[in-house]
Amino acid sequence: MVTILLVTAVLVCSHRGLLWPLEQAVADMLYSRKYQINNSIKIITIDQKSEAEYGFFSEWTRARAAQLVETLTQQDGKPAVIGFDVNFIAERDEEGDAAFVRAAEAHGNVVTAARAEVFEAVEERDGEYVKDTVHVNNIEYPYEALRKVSYHGFTNAIMDEDNYVRRGMLSLKYAEETEYHFAYEVYKRYSEAMGRDLNPPEIDEKGNFGIRYIAPPGSYDSYAWSDVVNGEHDPRIFEDAIVLVGAYMPGMQDEFLVPVSRGEHMYGVEIHANIVDGLLRGYSYQTVPKIWVTCANFLLCLIYFLLLRKTGPLFGAIAGGVLATGYLAAATWLYSKGWYLYPVAFVLCMICMLAVHVLGRYVWEWLSKRKLLKEFKKYVAPQVLAEMSRSGEFSVKLGGECRDIAVLFVDIRGFTKLSEELAPEQVVEMLNEYLALTTEAVFANGGTLDKFIGDATMAVFNAPVDLPDYKARAVKAALDIVHGAERINERIKKKIDREVMFGVGVHCGTAIVGNIGCETRMDYTAIGDTVNTASRLEGKALGGQVVISETLYRDLADRLIVEPLGVAELKGKAEPIQIYSVLEFADITVGEAESHR
């Protein structure tokens, strides 16, 4: 559910544009490429060097523009097109304006800049109000005489919310005429001059095309205006070229952020150079419709989700890396075919899914561990539980393991007669006192409380984790139970005027220990001949007596004070065995046997 909610949230945010800044930044890095520039494109710069010679550009006479056009034109050749990314809007001085008009008319290869006033507006059409996102309020053309003898195109830059220029308007409708983008107009005139077919870029519903930048700022050949006019450069280098003239210094308010060099500004004339270069190569793009992207992302996320459900974290991470790499490769391939795809949403979904998958498994295992520890807490000593938690040596699976253990059985002597004589409430009260004593003794010595069987208690030592000196601990727990009977008898006698005596049997050996049962019901227990023998020894014990087997006695002979009880036949055993009654421990403290030996 967490995965589904996260993926849905990411896809919805992407579809509604809330991830737009991140998507744009990643797409800029993914799609930006540096290509070999078209050497036919030349830039003549209005720079500090030219202003140092001619004064501020705003005060230049248009005669200088005429002089530039004449300088670029030779008897045997001229540029295919000269595009002035300069607004020659108002008339300035009659002589200079006229000189520029004559030069433009004489050579017929000049494209000048116009400026459109575009904004969103609501218009009434056929009795209905319609929102026009590219309403053209006005276009400022070059002064009238120049407009008649030159081509022109609008130079408006479309800046996204982060102020980067990624798109351009191909054309605008104004006064029943179609006006084209300045760079496209330059491209058209160059194609006509060189006999090339036009290949207009694909546009979206707003009439915009995506700009595929060819090179970062400073890549195209550039020449200072003053140097060209002064003959510093051979005019033949501009023959049949695309010459773009524009601002090339700070302070002229013609600098823009571009994706091909994030954080670095590009002059407007360089943007036009990139657009023209891209148009000549047939490079442009359109954004893949959001609904297509959302559906594709949803389908791929579903596939990855199902894959994660079947695999572990490591394989899931590898598969996610392969899938993400393939997605980015596909996005890059689509870009080369003219389709702009934002890859962030899908990659972010994959990261979320993998994180939830890994974290979910960790949390699930942690909760399972806590649940299991909670269950073990009911019948495992606290110190054993702490060791299990530290080492992780536990499992909830069916099955068991073969372990060397000590098994203790204890029950109340004469319980059947007592239960007949006492009221049920008194029996329960007596049992609670007894069970509390046996549980306390078992836990105090590190044992595991296996089960209560009526008035009997079964405990094992050295399971589910290794327990040092477990055999001595089992015997010590048996003695603690017998001695504890004296303490609880005082309380029981006051309540029900009865005394209880315990018989205890302890044996050691190999047994199968683990979860025994079925998937719907299982118990942690021990089974085998060792368990049966311990139960039979408990049956031989009198009230207040701890009976152990010869096997156990041999292992603890130097540490116990015992009384031999002779050879006894045990039910289910083919051969009789020697049994002993444990009186006390010797002076060796339980738990220090290993160092003693």
Side-chain angles (χ1 to χ4, degrees), residues 375-552:
E375 292 299 316
F376 269 115
K377 187 176 181 181
K378 299 175 183 177
Y379 51 101
V380 176
Q383 61 269 32
V384 176
L385 190 67
E387 174 62 21
M388 289 171 62
S389 178
R390 184 191 66 79
S391 63
E393 295 182 10
F394 56 88
S395 174
V396 293
K397 297 179 180 178
L398 280 173
E401 60 175 334
C402 187
R403 293 182 68 93
D404 290 326
I405 62 172
V407 184
L408 177 153
F409 273 90
V410 55
D411 75 350
I412 301 174
R413 290 296 175 255
F415 177 74
T416 303
K417 183 178 179 181
L418 285 172
S419 62
E420 291 175 351
E421 296 175 353
L422 300 176
E425 295 81 3
Q426 292 175 313
V427 173
V428 171
E429 192 170 8
M430 179 185 65
L431 275 176
N432 287 341
E433 291 277 0
Y434 152 67
L435 295 177
L437 169 64
T438 57
T439 300
E440 179 183 349
V442 170
F443 282 2
N445 289 280
T448 298
L449 191 61
D450 188 296
K451 63 174 67 68
F452 297 126
I453 313 168
D455 66 318
T457 300
M458 173 184 170
V460 297
F461 294 78
N462 204 42
V465 295
D466 293 337
L467 181 67
D469 203 16
Y470 67 92
K471 296 174 184 178
R473 289 175 183 271
V475 176
K476 178 65 166 56
L479 291 173
D480 288 346
I481 291 172
V482 171
H483 295 157
E486 300 173 1
R487 183 177 70 252
I488 68 169
N489 268 330
E490 296 178 6
R491 295 196 299 269
I492 293 176
K493 190 170 184 179
K494 291 179 181 179
K495 294 178 181 179
I496 60 175
D497 196 24
R498 293 287 192 281
E499 291 186 353
V500 294
M501 298 293 288
F502 302 139
V504 188
V506 186
H507 180 52
C508 65
T510 302
I512 301 298
V513 182
N515 288 298
I516 311 299
C518 62
E519 291 289 349
T520 56
R521 175 64 179 175
M522 65 178 73
D523 285 314
Y524 186 83
T525 188
I527 59 174
D529 182 65
T530 298
V531 178
N532 296 334
T533 299
S535 177
R536 302 294 181 260
L537 290 174
E538 177 266 318
K540 295 295 184 179
L542 301 176
Q545 194 175 46
V546 177
V547 176
I548 64 174
S549 64
E550 185 176 12
T551 302
L552 182 57

Side-chain angles (χ1 to χ4, degrees), residues 166-171 180-181 183-185 187-188 191 197-212 274-286 337-338:
R166 300 182 178 90
R167 297 167 296 134
M169 291 184 292
L170 180 62
S171 62
Y180 288 98
H181 191 279
Y184 184 71
E185 193 67 40
Y187 162 68
K188 282 172 60 179
S191 298
D197 293 332
L198 282 177
N199 185 21
E202 295 290 333
I203 58 176
D204 60 20
E205 67 279 1
K206 294 183 179 180
N208 298 332
F209 62 93
I211 302 172
R212 248 175 100 174
N274 273 271
I275 296 174
V276 173
D277 202 348
L279 291 171
L280 289 171
R281 302 166 191 251
Y283 287 177
S284 65
Y285 66 82
Q286 285 301 303
K337 300 300 180 181

Side-chain angles (χ1 to χ4, degrees), residues 290-367:
K290 285 185 177 181
I291 187 64
W292 294 5
V293 177
T294 301
C295 291
N297 287 345
F298 177 81
L299 180 60
L300 291 172
C301 287
L302 178 61
I303 293 173
Y304 187 55
F305 175 76
L306 296 176
L307 181 66
L308 285 177
R309 299 276 291 180
K310 301 291 184 180
T311 62
L314 179 59
F315 184 81
I318 295 173
V322 171
L323 197 56
T325 302
Y327 191 91
L328 295 176
T332 305
W333 178 81
L334 283 173
Y335 183 69
S336 69
K337 300 300 180 181
W339 290 100
Y340 197 89
L341 173 66
Y342 295 111
V344 166
F346 176 70
V347 175
L348 192 57
C349 283
M350 292 188 60
I351 293 174
C352 288
M353 285 191 286
L354 183 60
V356 171
H357 180 64
V358 173
L359 184 61
R361 286 207 169 194
Y362 172 79
V363 172
W364 181 263
E365 289 176 3
W366 181 77
L367 291 174

Side-chain angles (χ1 to χ4, degrees), residues 229-295:
V229 172
N230 293 335
E232 297 291 334
H233 303 288
D234 188 344
R236 287 177 296 180
I237 64 177
F238 301 104
E239 186 176 345
D240 293 330
I242 301 169
V243 177
L244 298 175
V245 184
Y248 215 80
M249 62 178 174
M252 295 190 71
Q253 298 182 344
D254 198 28
E255 297 175 276
F256 304 91
L257 292 169
V258 292
V260 74
S261 57
R262 288 190 62 84
E264 184 179 357
H265 287 83
M266 178 180 283
Y267 293 113
V269 68
E270 290 183 293
I271 294 178
H272 294 308
N274 273 271
I275 296 174
V276 173
D277 202 348
L279 291 171
L280 289 171
R281 302 166 191 251
Y283 287 177
S284 65
Y285 66 82
Q286 285 301 303
T287 304
V288 179
K290 285 185 177 181
I291 187 64
W292 294 5
V293 177
T294 301
C295 291

